[in-house]
Each structure stands twice: as structure tokens, then as C-alpha cells.
Amino acid sequence: MMSPSSIRPMTVAIIRKGDLVLASSGHDNIKNEDFYRLPGGGIEMGETSREALEREIKEEFDAELKNIKLLEVVENIFTFNGQLGHEICFIYQADFADQSLYQKQVFNILDSHLGHTATWIPVNKTSRIYPQVAKELLIS
């Protein structure tokens, strides 16, 4: 875990299935707020944001991506469970290489020790999807 004074470089993917987008749910206990997060994660030293995205999707879903396109790079300053967070986020659009993955309804995130899952959620109900700029990218 990064120290509170660190800026976290991260990368996420918008993976669509029609009017749905793949996301995992989360909850901020302090704000009592439910939200969604796009799949992805931290960028490690020595890897590009695209390499990190491909690694994270492989680790979390045992899946490969295709048609990977960088949409936006955003700086995100936020609070989560009362802690200040600061990240630089590379937002990509991508597709699963294996088309059969679009038939799955629930994905168990493989590298999560917390038992997290990801599901297809309606794009028009993504008012609390993070990073926040993702909502504008999803609607456009």
C-alpha cells in the first residue's frame, strides 16, 4: 500500500457489452456511498500504462485484451474511507480477445483476497463510477 503522501499511477479499461460496462462494486464506509470501479490497477516501476493494463486484466480475469485505445489521462484527487487519495489514471477502451467472456454475468476477480467480483452494469446508471471522468467517456 502506498503512503498517504504518494501519488499512485494507475490504469483502467472501459470494456463494453452493448449498453453495459464491466465494473466492480465498492463501498465507502465513511460516506456510506456505493460506487463502481473500472477494471485495472496500479502501474509498476518499469512498465507502461498499457503493459500494466494488460497485466492487471490477465491477473484479475485471466483474459487478454484487443483493440486497446488510450482515451484519456486524468489526475484524480479524492477521499476514500476518510483517507486522501491522489492518482494519475490512464483510461483505455478495450475489448476482450475471447468473445465467450461476454457471455459471463459475474467475474470473480482472481487476484483479490477480498472476494471481489465484477459485473456488467448499465452505462446510464454509472453516476458513481470512478475515476469520475469515466462517466463522461461512457456516455459519449
Side-chain angles (χ1 to χ4, degrees), residues 12-15 39 50 52-58 61 63-68 92-98 101-102:
V12 296
I14 293 174
I15 302 172
R50 181 181 172 137
L53 180 65
E54 292 176 300
R55 175 185 50 75
E56 287 284 345
I57 297 302
K58 182 69 173 167
F61 302 101
E64 306 290 330
L65 295 174
K66 66 178 185 177
N67 304 323
I68 303 168
Y92 286 87
Q93 177 177 300
D95 299 316
F96 282 129
D98 180 352
L101 293 174
Y102 290 98

Side-chain angles (χ1 to χ4, degrees), residues 25-35 80-81:
S25 62
H27 183 78
D28 185 313
N29 294 320
I30 302 294
K31 297 177 192 172
N32 194 28
E33 174 186 273
D34 293 322
F35 61 88
F80 174 67
N81 282 333

Side-chain angles (χ1 to χ4, degrees), residues 71-89:
L71 299 179
E72 185 110 19
V73 179
V74 297
E75 183 173 25
N76 191 22
I77 299 171
F78 60 95
T79 58
F80 174 67
N81 282 333
Q83 297 285 349
L84 181 64
H86 191 167
E87 59 195 16
I88 306 296
C89 186

Side-chain angles (χ1 to χ4, degrees), residues 1-2 7-15 22-24 37-45 47-61 65 70 72-74 76 78 86-92 109 111-112 116 118 130-131:
M1 171 127 309
M2 300 186 105
I7 299 172
R8 179 181 185 214
M10 64 175 301
T11 183
V12 296
I14 293 174
I15 302 172
L22 187 64
S24 58
R37 180 186 169 280
L38 295 172
I43 301 169
E44 295 178 358
M45 180 64 75
E47 69 182 351
T48 66
S49 61
R50 181 181 172 137
E51 291 168 342
L53 180 65
E54 292 176 300
R55 175 185 50 75
E56 287 284 345
I57 297 302
K58 182 69 173 167
E59 289 174 0
E60 293 180 357
F61 302 101
L65 295 174
L70 180 63
E72 185 110 19
V73 179
V74 297
N76 191 22
F78 60 95
H86 191 167
E87 59 195 16
I88 306 296
C89 186
F90 293 78
I91 303 173
Y92 286 87
I109 298 178
D111 74 342
S112 172
H116 285 146
Y130 295 115

